Amino acid sequence: MPAPASLFSPRAVSLGLSCLVATATPVARAQTTPSTTLPAVKIRASAPEPNGRLQLDLPADTGSRLGLTPRQTPATVSIIDRNTIDTRGAQDTQEILRAVPGITAHNAPGNIGVSYRGFSGGSVTQLFNGIHLQYTIAARPVDSWIYDRVESIGGPSSFLFGAGGVGGSINYITKLAERHDISEARLRLGTQRLKEASVGLNRRIAGDGSGAGDHHIRIDLNYRRADGWTDGTGTRSTQLATSLLSDLGQGVTHTLAYEAQDEAVDRPYWGTPLLNPPGASLRVDPRTRDKNYNSADGLYEQRVQWLRSITDWRLSDSTRLKNTFYAYDALRDYRNVESYRFDAGNTSVIRSATLLQRHDQRLVGDRIEGSHQGQAWGHRSDWAWGLDVSVNKQTRFPNSLPGTVSTVDPYRFDTENFFDIPGMKRGFRPDRDNKVTTTALYLENRTALVPALHLVTALRHERIKLELKNRREVTAASPASFQRSYHPSTGRIGLVWDLAPGAMVYAQYATAADAPSGVLSTASFSDVRNNSELTTGRQAEIGSKLDFWQGKGTATVSAFTIRRKNIATQDADNSALTVLVGEQSSRGVELAVGLKPAAGWSVQGNVSRVDAQYDRFRQGGISLAGKTPTNTPETVANLWVSYAFAPSWQASMGVRHVGKAYADAANTMSWSAYTLVDLGLSHQVNRNISVVGRIRNATDRLYAANLTSTMAYLGAPRTADLALRVSF
């Protein structure tokens, strides 16, 4: 199989040049602006300290573009900062998400899934530095080392980031250059031959530290290699994040950032076959827990590159302009046999679903935005506005074979090399090009109606043009080309009432738009022809955020109801067609609490209960009204406790409970609820050196992270690792 393009290919270099050219004009024009004071810098300690309180008073771009904190925002907004990531030992972006109430996630190779408030897939927007890739598989787990924090907002949020986000939006925010020196490194070793090395450096490379003329560079690099817990699986990944921060004077700063991710998985694990008969409670044979039925040389590879050019111009203390040019390039290759099922007597495993696939995706865009803090009719009134233009193009190269590949003994077997499968040929043949061009205008406002009562509003209008180009045979079902346009308008209106110092209540109503099936960047000709409109989502939410116990505790609580209409459902009169009359809804409550009860103690927890169902939906000619969507547990709860029992020692424990989930939309098959326990022990050797040992899934619980009607994608068994962290 041809290797993906080099990270430093001519295409990557051309993206970099485009990035530099795009920002030259704004920087030059900004030189006449009066100077302003640079923001204060916080220096992080060399070792993370337990902090039980929730992050309610840090500005979060994911909840609003007005620079509001979670406490000021009429929505459920979570911030998982770098300190929390480190103290909990979150290995990748999916483990970080456990800190968000109600979220479940899995990393099955071809079906990266996040469920939030009863919705999943393209209905949960996953962003990278506020940029929407419009493709769910693009959100594969990434090692946590290169990220500064992760933010989220629950419920419809298309008014912030564009079509999608009915269930919520998640934003992974990369570390960027700062105005002080940082030197840190980590070495981690563990079971399954885990070897990981990470380093982070931040330095001033020019200037005298006074502001104008200063240039700071940051480099964060991570390399990881490990065997999988299933036979023959092995992973190798490298993450690089580097950025240059330049203080150009006259209130202008510029950041040029480049990121690269290179991942290869040998013989990826796709799942474990379920025992027959399936019954109401699904099971797997424990003896197949570590079996891998993929081809002997199965493969998943991806190479991802990001370029961002961010120009920030502070015209005054109250007015700011910002321009972000961004470019994304990704190439993903698959070579696998992906489906396995037991025969009726559970004596053999039937292997099928042969797929050779390549995804080639490029995204280029520019966002111009501004903010102003002012007055309206004698009241404080802050504004944010922006224009976002992007072009997202993806070409897919699928080559699949129908039918059974082989039938093997469940416990003792050998599998073939992929290209030894009869009928499978090397090389890639493009199927179609999907080009999504988006132009969006947005506006937000926060006005103090009275000193303790604020009205928060937002409105976004998008012009989306989807163009499909057929790269294969032209037929009536697959014409040479086809295009369709969408014009969604979405918004939010909310009230925030400050009841007392440290306590507020809020109410909000928000809307969203979403593709009827899948995402537009992978939509087929039939999707576009039959689904002429985007779905609509609406949410009503009330909640509160407060401090209590004389500042030792913080809490957030919310109750919500969401309804999504016009989803694609099977035509009652013709099962071969879909119509936009389906409906799906969810309602639930979320609670998060953080405590610092005494010196050395830290306690945080969250719990969510959601009642998600189809209100109008058909599959196989059968109505599924009242049924729960697949892989959507009713209850998700997390608890983290840490205790510094000696001056240089700290013990920690994490407990996660996930409720029952269904494998089919008819709700005839389910996996029982499960509870996981993680343990940790850290020792601060001296000011600059710490050692942390962790046991994950300490009880070795066998559980399904994702389900289909024939397979369970199992979570990892018990693992252990030891990490040495150094600051210098």
Side-chain angles (χ1 to χ4, degrees), residues 89-266:
Q91 300 177 95
D92 55 35
T93 48
Q94 288 201 339
E95 288 194 2
I96 295 173
L97 294 182
R98 294 181 179 181
V100 181
I103 283 187
T104 59
H106 67 86
N107 61 350
N111 182 25
I112 306 304
V114 172
S115 176
Y116 196 6
R117 290 196 169 182
F119 296 87
S120 59
S123 296
V124 177
T125 295
Q126 297 194 67
L127 309 150
F128 293 86
N129 300 296
I131 300 167
H132 188 191
L133 293 173
Q134 304 166 10
Y135 187 40
T136 53
I137 291 179
R140 279 190 58 80
V142 180
D143 193 277
S144 62
W145 180 262
I146 66 171
Y147 290 105
D148 178 70
R149 64 192 185 280
V150 175
E151 300 176 350
S152 68
I153 178 173
S157 41
S158 297
F159 59 88
L160 285 167
F161 308 111
V166 176
S169 293
I170 300 162
N171 192 10
Y172 307 101
I173 301 172
T174 311
K175 295 174 181 176
L176 288 176
E178 304 178 42
R179 295 182 177 88
H180 64 276
D181 289 352
I182 296 174
S183 302
E184 56 186 358
R186 185 184 68 193
L187 177 65
R188 193 158 64 97
L189 303 174
T191 53
Q192 298 157 2
R193 298 202 294 180
L194 169 66
K195 304 177 185 67
E196 182 182 301
S198 308
V199 64
L201 295 171
N202 194 104
R203 291 289 186 273
R204 187 177 76 244
I205 58 173
D208 58 8
S210 61
D214 288 350
H215 299 270
H216 304 261
I217 191 169
R218 178 165 189 155
I219 299 174
D220 290 281
L221 180 64
N222 166 266
Y223 175 77
R224 185 181 189 275
R225 188 182 187 104
D227 291 341
W229 53 270
T230 55
D231 294 337
T233 303
T235 62
R236 304 175 303 281
S237 63
T238 303
Q239 286 75 225
L240 168 69
T242 182
S243 56
L244 174 67
L245 170 63
S246 300
D247 293 316
L248 303 178
Q250 305 300 313
V252 179
T253 62
H254 178 259
T255 301
L256 182 63
Y258 172 77
E259 295 169 46
Q261 300 162 21
D262 191 337
E263 178 186 14
V265 183
D266 297 324

Side-chain angles (χ1 to χ4, degrees), residues 22 77 99 206 217 296 308 314 317 343 442 460 611-612 685 713-714 720:
V77 177
I217 191 169
R308 289 180 293 143
R314 294 188 178 274
D317 290 340
D343 64 1
Y442 58 85
R460 182 185 182 101
D611 177 14
V685 179
Y713 184 81
L714 301 179

Side-chain angles (χ1 to χ4, degrees), residues 72 99 154 188 216 226 245 377 478 492 505 530 575 632 639 684 705:
Q72 297 169 326
R188 193 158 64 97
H216 304 261
L245 170 63
W377 303 287
S478 299
R492 167 173 72 187
V505 294
N530 299 331
S575 60
T632 305
L639 175 67
Q684 191 70 36

Side-chain angles (χ1 to χ4, degrees), residues 177-445:
E178 304 178 42
R179 295 182 177 88
H180 64 276
D181 289 352
I182 296 174
S183 302
E184 56 186 358
R186 185 184 68 193
L187 177 65
R188 193 158 64 97
L189 303 174
T191 53
Q192 298 157 2
R193 298 202 294 180
L194 169 66
K195 304 177 185 67
E196 182 182 301
S198 308
V199 64
L201 295 171
N202 194 104
R203 291 289 186 273
R204 187 177 76 244
I205 58 173
D208 58 8
S210 61
D214 288 350
H215 299 270
H216 304 261
I217 191 169
R218 178 165 189 155
I219 299 174
D220 290 281
L221 180 64
N222 166 266
Y223 175 77
R224 185 181 189 275
R225 188 182 187 104
D227 291 341
W229 53 270
T230 55
D231 294 337
T233 303
T235 62
R236 304 175 303 281
S237 63
T238 303
Q239 286 75 225
L240 168 69
T242 182
S243 56
L244 174 67
L245 170 63
S246 300
D247 293 316
L248 303 178
Q250 305 300 313
V252 179
T253 62
H254 178 259
T255 301
L256 182 63
Y258 172 77
E259 295 169 46
Q261 300 162 21
D262 191 337
E263 178 186 14
V265 183
D266 297 324
R267 204 180 184 194
Y269 165 68
W270 288 83
T272 301
L274 297 166
L275 288 170
N276 289 313
S281 183
L282 297 174
R283 303 161 297 132
V284 299
D285 185 338
R287 294 174 294 173
T288 65
R289 184 180 190 180
D290 59 353
K291 301 303 180 185
N292 188 344
Y293 300 96
N294 199 352
S295 290
D297 61 346
L299 181 71
Y300 171 77
E301 286 185 324
Q302 76 162 0
R303 291 190 178 178
V304 172
Q305 299 176 100
W306 277 101
L307 279 169
R308 289 180 293 143
S309 175
I310 309 162
T311 304
D312 199 327
W313 182 12
R314 294 188 178 274
L315 284 77
S316 66
D317 290 340
S318 60
T319 305
R320 173 186 175 187
L321 295 177
K322 184 178 181 181
N323 186 86
T324 303
F325 173 84
Y326 52 91
Y328 171 85
D329 183 89
L331 197 64
R332 301 179 182 89
D333 285 338
Y334 294 84
R335 184 179 71 205
N336 302 283
V337 175
E338 302 176 0
S339 181
Y340 330 114
R341 70 182 190 277
F342 268 112
D343 64 1
N346 297 322
T347 59
S348 300
V349 171
I350 303 167
R351 304 169 59 246
S352 59
T354 305
L355 179 63
L356 177 68
Q357 173 73 280
R358 168 169 282 185
H359 302 160
D360 189 356
Q361 182 183 8
R362 302 180 194 177
L363 170 68
V364 177
D366 192 81
R367 179 186 298 149
I368 303 171
E369 53 193 323
S371 62
H372 177 72
Q373 299 174 346
Q375 298 280 326
W377 303 287
H379 299 276
R380 172 72 181 269
S381 186
D382 299 339
W383 294 87
W385 62 91
L387 169 66
D388 198 346
V389 180
S390 66
V391 178
N392 190 350
K393 183 178 180 181
Q394 181 165 194
T395 303
R396 292 156 67 89
F397 303 76
N399 183 8
S400 62
L401 293 177
T404 299
V405 175
S406 68
T407 300
V408 299
D409 183 289
Y411 318 109
R412 294 173 296 277
F413 59 91
D414 292 311
T415 58
E416 70 295 313
N417 288 328
F418 185 81
F419 290 109
D420 291 338
I421 298 173
M424 182 52 64
K425 298 180 180 179
R426 297 178 183 271
F428 295 96
R429 183 186 176 206
D431 179 17
R432 66 179 182 273
D433 299 331
N434 284 47
K435 182 180 178 182
V436 183
T437 303
T438 305
T439 302
L441 285 168
Y442 58 85
L443 182 68
E444 285 189 70
N445 176 259

